[in-house]
Amino acid sequence: MVKRYGFFLLFIGIYSWLYAQHRVCGLVVDSVGYPVDAAVYSFIDNHTGLTLQQGLTTEQGEYSAIVEGRVRFYVSCLGYEPFMGEPFVVSSDTTLSPIVLRSKNFTLDDIVVVGEKREPAVRVTDGKVIFSPRQSGLAAGSSALELLKKTPGVFVDGENNISIGGKGYVSIVLNGKPTYMQKEELVSLLRTIPASSVSSVEVIAEPSARYDAEGSGGIINICTDRKPSEGLFFSMNNGLSYWRNLRQNTELSFNYTQGKLSLQGNYNHTFGHYSMDYGMHRIQQGKDYYSPTADVDKRKTIAGNLSMEYCFNDKHLLGVRADVNTLFGPGQTRTVTEIRDVESNRLEQTLYAQNDYYRQRGNRYGGNLYYMATPGKGTSYTVDLNYAWFDGGSGNMQPNSYRTPAGDLVQENLYNSVNGRNIHIYSLAYDQQHPLWQGELRSGLKYSGVDADNDFRFYRVEGDVSLLDNTRSNDFTYREQILAAYLLYNHRWGNWGFEAGVRGEYTFSDGILRTVSPSDGERNRKEHFDLFPSLRLDYRWNGGDVLSLSYASRIDRPAYQDLNPFEYLLDELSYWKGNPFLAPQKAHSLSLTYVRQKTSLMVSYAYMQDYRAQITDTLSVDKVVMTPRNIGRQQRVSLSLYQAVNLFHWWEMNLNVTGYYLNNDIAFDAYRTFNLDGFAGIVSLQNLIRLPWQLRLELNGAYYTKHLGASNEYVEPSGYVDVGLSKSFFGKSLTINLAMSDIFWTSRWDNSSSFSGFRLWNWGKGESRQVKLNVTYRFGRQKEQSHQSHFDEIDRL
């Protein structure tokens, strides 16, 4: 009886001891956020100093242990400074904040050698695909726009439309901050950002509630803020590129950190011309119009920024940043339109048109002030104030002359159009983060506004006199204010992870169109409140496998430039015009993702209502207009695979394959309805090969199959292949890069569409094939700062 009772007490004791054990897990990363694998971690009893449990982190930098009581966490890895955390009590399952290991520096006289492991160029973590250029030879001398073309899962077509896995309406943010720009201004801005200043590109297909709800196609976050380093560091790059035109680029940057103060700055410019060949062929009202165009963009880009951070102590950080991006210069297009009779194919007359952009400007000035406090572990408060002013405009002289097949002048018209865009963008955001119930609670408020004043004047020139066309000249003002708040909570129970959030956005917009002729004008005033929930559930096993299910609701408000009814003429028979009465489109998306080591597989479904697209429509019997419209709904099902392969220790390969099915249920009006669908695929491949004599060979390519476009058009296959070779000298102080982009000149935008009585073919390609030579020189003494900074894009929302 006593023996049985003793065994019972022993059983109760063992059970109680096991029950009192709790799982502690987390992530170990380096100073730029890469997981650190094979790091040795230990949980140490705070009273006795004995090691309770020890192990190695996984390839994803993860660790997990069963411990109890008051413990301390210790982690070490070759090439990094050891980390010893503060004591804490384990009374339930606990997920620790990511542990950041700082690089260990070995100083020999005036040489600093950083002992840091080689990191992958592409990682998949927490629903993000993170691409790190790492001084890519193909990126040298190019812009952030060109860098997006190298990013897995991102496709930039010949017309600079940016998509994630073929899904458009992507929101581009810089260091976590929205740009609030339409395509033309956004492309200009991205061209002024040198690729060398980009530390990483984050592709987020299913953003959570902490991000702005704008961007149904997902978010691309371009991070240009590199971690400050102790000491003075300077970098200079000069390069030339050539195919049809010679282009020259220069980039200068410096970084100085001493104690609590850090200064960073850079300057860059690109000078030279850029050529494009495109055209339109249409059959309309019994006539055949064939219109090839030669386009030469002669604008120059100059940009720079200066930033300063001051750390009062480990818990308080103040930063300020100023940016200037300017694009200016002339441009010219020449279009020749042959007009034939369809039945006889007889040439009736030829229209010669020219756009002489004698003045173009696109200046963007920005400022950012931020403050961050981290009073305790897992707790932070951030205030972020942003302001940007966009000053743009152009002047265009456009002669149009009709001639007979014999060359006799039939009619001649000369037009002059002048427009100006004055746009102010501002935002104030507050974010906070707290540990709660062994999880993490994030919340924040944000106020943003856009004030846009636009004027357009259209003149008919007769001799030396310019006659204002009151019916085609107008003033357009647009005001938009958004007040947003979000709440986001995540928690882990052993292998299970849960994140749920909701974002509320109140939007007020007011667009007023006034023609120069006596008129009351037109007004489009809207006011609405929307909720955008997000949900993510994941399960982890085998130390690294992750299966996650996520849902997100998003919106795409009309860009202010789409609302602007300016007329941009290719010739007097075809032009582009905005639509001041666009409505926002809303989207719901659901995805299931599986990640195992270097493999990621995602299947997703997206539904969009009040779907918006740019359509080409007829205007009178001989003209066409390209304008954005709300035309119906769109559904999309996709399957994406990302695979990283190390064929050899000297050969890295990253493969991304996306296949999708698209359905456009749309209508131009009551008589022109379309229910179109189709399958398509995108394949992109990156190769980094380390050759003898420290040579680096990069070979990248992408291919997009024939696919259904934004409305009723079908787009022909397109793609590119880039190759680059680089070598460093004098301890990587000097690097020479030689590259050729789009070597087969296959990056094109060819498509066709039709409806009753109208058929249209478009084609075109730019000067994407170029030979580039860049020389980069770096000097300075550099070592990592001793303090930690948690100021990342999430906190600077």
Side-chain angles (χ1 to χ4, degrees):
M1 183 71 176
V2 174
K3 187 178 294 186
R4 289 181 180 178
Y5 184 69
F7 278 119
F8 177 74
L9 290 179
L10 179 62
F11 172 77
I12 293 294
I14 294 175
Y15 177 81
S16 299
W17 180 81
L18 289 174
Y19 184 80
Q21 303 294 297
H22 299 286
R23 181 178 295 275
V24 180
C25 58
L27 186 68
V28 179
V29 298
D30 65 10
S31 59
V32 294
Y34 289 126
V36 178
D37 64 336
V40 179
Y41 66 87
S42 303
F43 286 92
I44 302 171
D45 189 296
N46 188 57
H47 299 294
T48 65
L50 298 177
T51 299
L52 300 177
Q53 190 164 341
Q54 192 175 54
L56 297 176
T57 59
T58 68
E59 191 175 28
Q60 286 74 36
E62 298 171 334
Y63 61 87
S64 179
I66 303 294
V67 294
E68 68 166 343
R70 189 173 180 82
V71 300
R72 301 186 75 178
F73 181 68
Y74 173 83
V75 62
S76 65
C77 186
L78 180 65
Y80 299 93
E81 296 286 349
F83 171 86
M84 175 68 80
E86 296 296 326
F88 64 97
V89 177
V90 180
S91 57
S92 61
D93 289 349
T94 303
T95 300
L96 300 180
S97 299
I99 304 300
V100 180
L101 296 185
R102 301 296 174 182
S103 299
K104 181 182 292 184
N105 304 308
F106 305 94
T107 305
L108 301 174
D109 297 330
D110 292 332
I111 302 175
V112 178
V113 180
V114 180
E116 190 166 358
K117 57 178 283 186
R118 180 185 299 164
E119 301 294 351
V122 182
R123 295 178 295 119
V124 180
T125 177
D126 294 332
K128 300 179 183 179
V129 176
I130 303 176
F131 171 54
S132 302
R134 299 183 306 162
Q135 302 299 327
S136 166
L138 291 175
S142 62
S143 66
L145 180 65
E146 296 297 320
L147 191 61
L148 289 182
K149 298 179 181 180
K150 315 294 187 295
T151 304
V154 177
F155 191 84
V156 183
D157 66 17
E159 294 184 290
N160 294 319
N161 296 305
I162 302 170
S163 61
I164 297 178
K167 187 164 59 173
Y169 294 102
V170 175
S171 178
I172 305 295
V173 299
L174 300 178
N175 299 312
K177 302 178 180 64
T179 55
Y180 300 103
M181 287 187 169
Q182 198 200 341
K183 173 187 164 183
E184 181 182 351
E185 283 77 20
L186 177 62
V187 168
S188 298
L189 175 63
L190 294 178
R191 281 176 172 166
T192 65
I193 300 174
S196 61
S197 69
V198 177
S199 57
S200 64
V201 179
E202 300 177 353
V203 182
I204 311 171
E206 303 289 348
S208 69
R210 71 173 176 256
Y211 296 96
D212 283 3
E214 188 76 28
S216 61
I219 290 177
I220 298 177
N221 182 28
I222 301 174
C223 302
T224 61
D225 290 335
R226 299 179 181 273
K227 298 295 182 181
S229 302
E230 194 78 16
L232 175 64
F233 181 75
F234 182 80
S235 174
M236 177 177 62
N237 173 69
N238 276 284
L240 296 172
S241 61
Y242 179 76
W243 192 252
R244 285 185 176 175
N245 300 283
L246 182 66
R247 296 163 62 85
Q248 189 273 331
N249 60 276
T250 294
E251 301 158 18
L252 306 172
S253 65
F254 80 93
N255 184 334
Y256 174 75
T257 300
Q258 186 66 45
K260 300 179 178 181
L261 180 66
S262 175
L263 294 174
Q264 297 183 66
N266 70 65
Y267 162 86
N268 68 86
H269 72 241
T270 301
F271 298 154
H273 299 172
Y274 185 87
S275 297
M276 291 178 286
D277 294 314
Y278 50 86
M280 176 191 299
H281 179 203
R282 71 182 190 273
I283 297 177
Q284 178 181 356
Q285 295 293 322
K287 301 294 183 181
D288 187 311
Y289 302 85
Y290 181 78
S291 307
T293 299
D295 189 334
V296 181
D297 187 349
K298 303 178 181 180
R299 292 175 295 180
K300 302 177 177 63
T301 64
I302 299 177
N305 66 69
L306 183 65
S307 63
M308 179 186 72
E309 282 188 355
Y310 185 79
C311 296
F312 298 94
N313 49 49
D314 289 340
K315 297 182 179 180
H316 298 277
L317 172 70
L318 180 67
V320 62
R321 178 185 174 109
D323 295 86
V324 177
N325 303 79
T326 179
L327 183 147
F328 61 94
Q332 191 174 75
T333 71
R334 296 179 182 273
T335 303
V336 178
T337 301
E338 296 180 349
I339 306 173
R340 298 175 181 270
D341 178 75
V342 172
E343 292 186 1
S344 64
N345 197 34
R346 180 177 59 87
L347 179 63
E348 296 180 342
Q349 56 184 344
T350 304
L351 169 60
Y352 297 89
Q354 180 177 316
N355 282 286
D356 181 10
Y357 290 95
Y358 56 86
R359 183 179 72 243
Q360 293 184 106
R361 73 177 188 278
N363 305 320
R364 186 180 187 270
Y365 312 94
N368 177 214
L369 177 66
Y370 53 88
Y371 168 77
M372 180 177 179
T374 53
K377 192 175 185 64
T379 302
S380 67
Y381 304 91
T382 305
V383 179
D384 198 329
L385 175 64
N386 289 274
Y387 170 76
W389 171 35
F390 181 79
D391 175 29
S394 64
N396 177 26
M397 192 71 71
Q398 186 187 64
N400 289 260
S401 60
Y402 295 85
R403 295 185 178 273
T404 66
D408 298 328
L409 181 63
V410 177
Q411 181 184 349
E412 189 171 29
N413 299 311
L414 179 60
Y415 306 109
N416 182 22
S417 59
V418 180
N419 69 71
R421 302 184 296 277
N422 189 22
I423 303 166
H424 297 270
I425 305 168
Y426 43 88
S427 69
L428 175 63
Y430 169 75
D431 295 270
Q432 60 183 16
Q433 170 186 330
H434 298 277
L436 179 66
W437 304 322
Q438 286 76 50
E440 181 182 76
L441 178 68
R442 291 178 180 268
S443 58
L445 298 170
K446 183 175 180 180
Y447 171 78
S448 63
V450 175
D451 291 340
D453 293 300
N454 310 271
D455 59 84
F456 177 74
R457 297 295 181 266
F458 192 87
Y459 300 91
R460 184 183 183 94
V461 182
E462 296 182 0
D464 295 332
V465 180
S466 295
L467 304 175
L468 180 66
D469 188 338
N470 292 338
T471 62
R472 302 175 72 173
S473 301
N474 60 65
D475 295 312
F476 179 69
T477 60
Y478 180 70
R479 303 288 181 268
E480 181 182 84
Q481 296 177 326
I482 301 174
L483 181 61
Y486 78 91
L487 193 66
L488 185 69
Y489 179 73
N490 64 70
H491 187 85
R492 296 207 66 86
W493 296 277
N495 292 338
W496 288 94
F498 172 78
E499 181 182 79
V502 63
R503 186 180 188 90
E505 293 190 353
Y506 164 78
T507 305
F508 169 79
S509 62
D510 189 13
I512 303 175
L513 172 65
R514 296 185 180 90
T515 59
V516 175
S517 59
S519 172
D520 294 335
E522 298 176 281
R523 189 167 195 170
N524 185 12
R525 180 169 178 162
K526 295 183 178 180
E527 189 174 357
H528 53 90
F529 176 77
D530 301 283
L531 286 175
F532 304 97
S534 69
L535 178 67
R536 179 182 172 90
L537 180 67
D538 67 67
Y539 180 76
R540 305 186 179 208
W541 73 99
N542 290 340
D545 292 14
V546 182
L547 182 66
S548 62
L549 177 68
S550 61
Y551 163 80
S553 175
R554 311 284 291 169
I555 193 173
D556 294 300
R557 299 179 182 86
Y560 46 82
Q561 279 300 99
D562 279 343
L563 295 167
N564 192 339
F566 287 178
E567 295 182 4
Y568 295 93
L569 277 68
L570 183 63
D571 56 39
E572 65 178 16
L573 299 181
S574 56
Y575 60 93
W576 183 95
K577 186 177 183 178
N579 180 1
F581 299 104
L582 288 173
Q585 62 183 14
K586 297 180 181 179
H588 303 271
S589 60
L590 182 69
S591 67
L592 181 67
T593 305
Y594 171 67
V595 178
R596 177 181 174 85
Q597 296 181 351
K598 299 179 181 180
T599 303
S600 174
L601 187 66
M602 182 175 74
V603 58
S604 65
Y605 168 78
Y607 173 81
M608 190 177 298
Q609 61 191 44
D610 295 322
Y611 173 62
R612 182 177 75 245
Q614 180 174 295
I615 68 171
T616 301
D617 204 354
T618 56
L619 186 69
S620 73
V621 296
D622 60 350
K623 296 181 181 180
V624 292
V625 58
M626 291 154 279
T627 185
R629 294 258 305 273
N630 295 102
I631 55 177
R633 65 178 185 175
Q634 184 184 82
Q635 297 184 80
R636 188 177 188 275
V637 179
S638 66
L639 177 65
S640 296
L641 168 69
Y642 165 75
Q643 180 67 58
V645 181
N646 286 347
L647 299 178
F648 304 97
H649 71 277
W650 44 268
W651 188 347
E652 294 180 20
M653 179 186 296
N654 293 289
L655 172 68
N656 186 266
V657 181
T658 298
Y660 67 87
Y661 166 80
L662 186 66
N663 174 254
N664 288 343
D665 186 4
I666 59 177
F668 291 179
D669 52 39
Y671 306 100
R672 294 176 296 175
T673 62
F674 309 89
N675 195 328
L676 306 172
D677 59 6
F679 291 90
I682 305 174
V683 180
S684 64
L685 186 64
Q686 294 180 320
N687 292 274
L688 173 60
I689 303 173
R690 296 175 175 85
L691 301 175
W693 306 293
Q694 296 184 338
L695 290 170
R696 288 164 53 102
L697 174 66
E698 294 179 59
L699 182 64
N700 299 340
Y703 177 75
Y704 201 163
T705 66
K706 184 175 181 177
H707 59 280
L708 176 62
S711 58
N712 66 326
E713 74 275 11
Y714 284 90
V715 185
E716 296 298 319
S718 179
Y720 67 86
V721 175
D722 298 342
V723 63
L725 191 66
S726 64
K727 179 174 173 57
S728 297
F729 303 88
F730 310 118
K732 297 187 177 181
S733 295
L734 178 67
T735 303
I736 299 177
N737 299 282
L738 179 63
M740 186 173 184
S741 60
D742 196 9
I743 58 179
F744 300 109
W745 214 346
T746 49
S747 181
R748 301 180 56 88
W749 60 93
D750 303 344
N751 61 77
S752 60
S753 61
S754 64
F755 52 79
S756 180
F758 180 75
R759 297 184 66 185
L760 174 67
W761 297 266
N762 289 296
W763 71 89
K765 63 179 179 181
E767 197 178 349
S768 55
R769 178 161 61 177
Q770 293 185 342
V771 178
K772 305 176 181 180
L773 175 65
N774 282 270
V775 179
T776 304
Y777 180 67
R778 310 175 186 90
F779 68 89
R781 184 182 177 90
Q782 193 175 8
K783 62 180 181 178
E784 288 286 335
Q785 283 184 283
S786 59
H787 77 275
Q788 291 188 18
S789 174
H790 299 281
F791 196 78
D792 53 27
E793 56 88 19
I794 293 176
D795 298 311
R796 295 182 295 161
L797 179 64

